[in-house]
Structure formats: structure tokens, C-alpha cells
Amino acid sequence: LDVHAIAISPAAPQVPLVALRMGLFRSEDHGAHWLDYEMRKRTPIFYGRDIRVSPHDPNTLYATMSTAANGATGTVWRSTDLGRNWARFDSPTRAESTMMAACPSPSDRRVVYAAARKGQVFGTLDEGATWQEVPLPKGCTGVMALAVS
């Protein structure tokens, strides 16, 4: 399988979390077996691209889901209970390509950014209550990764 992202939460350091084309998974036995977070039951957009742990709360996870590697749309999801429950987080953004990265700010728990493959960056400054598209420098047509300070 093509693993796109791996995350480890301090709340459960023995449980690796992965994002891959079939969704989001966790292992509770050091990778011998993998348990599906069953994103397919929550959304038709379940191609997992990124998974991150909040630097402010080890039980909060952010994940990006899309239609395909080079898909036509994508979304950001959040769990506040280490993946037991998930909810769409980026509404009402309209990504026009695969959502590649979700990036919570290490300095402000209210701030999260997300990036779509074909050059869109979205940000929230209020824990997802509102989102704005952030313009990229002229000539920038793609985003594969994102970091926030």
C-alpha cells in the first residue's frame, strides 16, 4: 500500500495512524494488524492524504480526504477523541483538487491551514468557524506540503 502520512499521538504513542488511498487506519499491535477508521461510512471522499496530531491536544487529529491522487476535490476532517469520531472541519471551503495537507499552528490552537494540490491554501483563525482562501504568490500552481509557524 502507498502510505501517504504517518502520525503518532502522545495520547497513544503505541498506536501509529496512517493515511492512504483506502482511508485512515490505526494499529494497536505494532503494525501486525490495521483497524479501519471507516471513513467510507462518513463520506464518499475517503482517499486519505494527510493525518496530523494537534500540537495543543494529543486527542485531536486532522486528516485530509480526497477523491483520488489527482482528484477534483478534497476536504479536511477533525477528530477530538483520537479518531473514534470524525466530523468535516473545513466547511464551506471548495477545494478544486486533492487536499494534500492539514497543518495546525504550533503557536495558536485556533489556527489551522490546509492545502490543495493545484495551488489553493485555506485557513481558519477561529478553530474552523470560518475559513478563507489564502492567495499564493503569482506563478505558484501547486502545493504538495505545508508548514505553519
Side-chain angles (χ1 to χ4, degrees), residues 21 39-47 65-68 73 75 77 88:
R21 67 178 171 81
M39 295 307 286
R40 282 186 179 104
K41 291 182 179 178
R42 295 171 175 86
T43 177
I45 301 172
F46 57 83
Y47 176 91
M65 310 301 289
S66 294
T67 53
T73 192
T75 56
W77 289 71
R88 173 95 186 259

Side-chain angles (χ1 to χ4, degrees), residues 43-60:
T43 177
I45 301 172
F46 57 83
Y47 176 91
R49 193 66 211 183
D50 194 16
I51 188 163
R52 306 265 184 117
V53 178
S54 167
H56 306 284
D57 176 3
N59 291 302
T60 297

Side-chain angles (χ1 to χ4, degrees), residues 20-106:
L20 44 94
R21 67 178 171 81
M22 297 178 334
L24 306 174
F25 293 79
R26 72 185 186 281
S27 176
E28 296 176 354
D29 58 7
H30 306 287
H33 301 90
W34 290 90
L35 303 168
D36 189 346
Y37 279 118
E38 298 183 327
M39 295 307 286
R40 282 186 179 104
K41 291 182 179 178
R42 295 171 175 86
T43 177
I45 301 172
F46 57 83
Y47 176 91
R49 193 66 211 183
D50 194 16
I51 188 163
R52 306 265 184 117
V53 178
S54 167
H56 306 284
D57 176 3
N59 291 302
T60 297
L61 308 173
Y62 299 93
T64 59
M65 310 301 289
S66 294
T67 53
N70 197 9
T73 192
T75 56
V76 179
W77 289 71
R78 177 174 66 176
S79 170
T80 57
D81 58 8
L82 208 55
R84 286 185 287 284
N85 296 288
W86 291 89
R88 173 95 186 259
F89 181 60
D90 66 328
S91 192
T93 65
R94 292 188 178 261
E96 296 173 1
S97 60
T98 298
M99 195 68 86
M100 298 297 288
C103 195
S105 168

